[in-house]
Amino acid sequence: RACNSAEDRLLRVVFCDAGRDLAEDLGISNLQAVEPNLVSGVATRFNVTVTNHGRAEAPAVTLTLSSSLGDAITRELGPLPPGESTTALVPLQFGNPGSVLLTASLAARDAVDFNNQRFLAGEVATGLPVLVVDGEPDLDPQRAESFYLRYALAPPGERASGLRVTVVDEQEFATTALGEYRVLFLCNVFRLPPETLAAMQTWVTRGGVLIFAPGDLVDGAFWSGELATAAPELALV
């Protein structure tokens, strides 16, 4: 709505007193995720930098990193000399996927409190999607080309690996939408049609990670010749 009165306009003005030489002023100067992806069920590490802007040594303080999804962790930071910064590596595990707002906050009692918090928004996924193309599938899963790789990426047990693995054969791969995945393994794949190679090239240039795992079924002449024609950028990798 329009701001018609002086009161409306004042409600949208924030005053920060930065002119005083404060004896005590501890604040959070940076909050950054170490891992590029936020995944539920596994710990994500965050760098939280705290700076002492005051003239006196800052006493020990409690740092809390919490999320709008209900996850939280605390860390105790020791005394910090004036003018210096310290960075704490804080792991936070998300219990559920979804949009999230992270808040780093200090339990500091000083003259300036607006810098005692810092925020970071993100999206928590159920797992990093990985596609495995099995060039030698088998009715017995333990004899399939992808068996050991699949269980290495996402082993069974109570602790999640953070990866969501899908296995397809060569025919299924031809109709698979690559845009849904972040990592692609080609395991002993004989050959692929030119249109699939072109789609892979586009996907890689947009940030996808492609891993070749050759085996005894691979057509060496195809991969050394046709690949350079259908997907020249992949041939340079």
Side-chain angles (χ1 to χ4, degrees):
R1 63 189 177 88
C3 299
N4 297 320
S5 67
E7 182 181 1
D8 286 334
R9 290 192 293 273
L10 287 176
L11 288 176
R12 288 161 175 76
V13 177
V14 178
F15 294 96
C16 299
D17 187 357
R20 291 180 295 167
D21 186 12
L22 301 175
E24 297 179 352
D25 181 15
L26 196 64
I28 299 176
S29 52
N30 188 43
L31 170 59
Q32 186 175 18
V34 176
E35 281 78 27
N37 303 286
L38 308 182
V39 180
S40 63
V42 295
T44 300
R45 297 172 299 168
F46 295 88
N47 280 326
V48 185
T49 302
V50 177
T51 302
N52 184 0
H53 302 284
R55 290 184 287 104
E57 180 178 79
V61 67
T62 300
L63 168 68
T64 301
L65 181 62
S66 59
S67 81
S68 58
L69 297 175
D71 314 288
I73 190 171
T74 60
R75 285 288 185 270
E76 298 297 324
L77 302 182
L80 188 62
E84 294 193 8
S85 298
T86 184
T87 298
L89 185 63
V90 184
L92 184 64
Q93 183 167 313
F94 301 98
N96 298 293
S99 299
V100 64
L101 177 65
L102 292 156
T103 303
S105 57
L106 292 174
R109 297 181 179 178
D110 50 36
V112 179
D113 58 3
F114 71 87
N115 60 358
N116 289 346
Q117 286 188 322
R118 202 168 183 94
F119 305 96
L120 179 67
E123 189 73 24
V124 180
T126 55
L128 189 68
V130 177
L131 181 63
V132 176
V133 182
D134 192 329
E136 192 177 4
D138 197 286
L139 293 177
D140 181 359
Q142 297 188 17
R143 297 176 61 87
E145 189 72 29
S146 61
F147 175 76
Y148 292 106
L149 174 62
R150 180 178 184 176
Y151 280 91
L153 295 174
E158 296 181 358
R159 298 180 64 88
S161 69
L163 302 177
R164 183 159 43 89
V165 181
T166 301
V167 180
V168 298
D169 59 27
E170 293 179 23
Q171 291 183 340
E172 294 170 320
F173 180 52
T175 58
T176 299
L178 279 177
E180 300 177 8
Y181 299 94
R182 301 292 298 276
V183 182
L184 170 62
F185 284 87
L186 297 181
C187 299
N188 203 8
V189 174
F190 176 57
R191 59 171 62 182
L192 293 172
E195 57 270 19
T196 301
L197 294 176
M200 285 170 44
Q201 176 176 262
T202 301
W203 176 78
V204 168
T205 57
R206 292 176 178 174
V209 177
L210 174 61
I211 301 172
F212 285 96
D216 59 329
L217 297 182
V218 167
D219 185 345
F222 167 81
W223 289 107
S224 61
E226 293 296 323
L227 185 63
T229 301
E233 295 186 27
L234 290 183
L236 296 176
V237 177

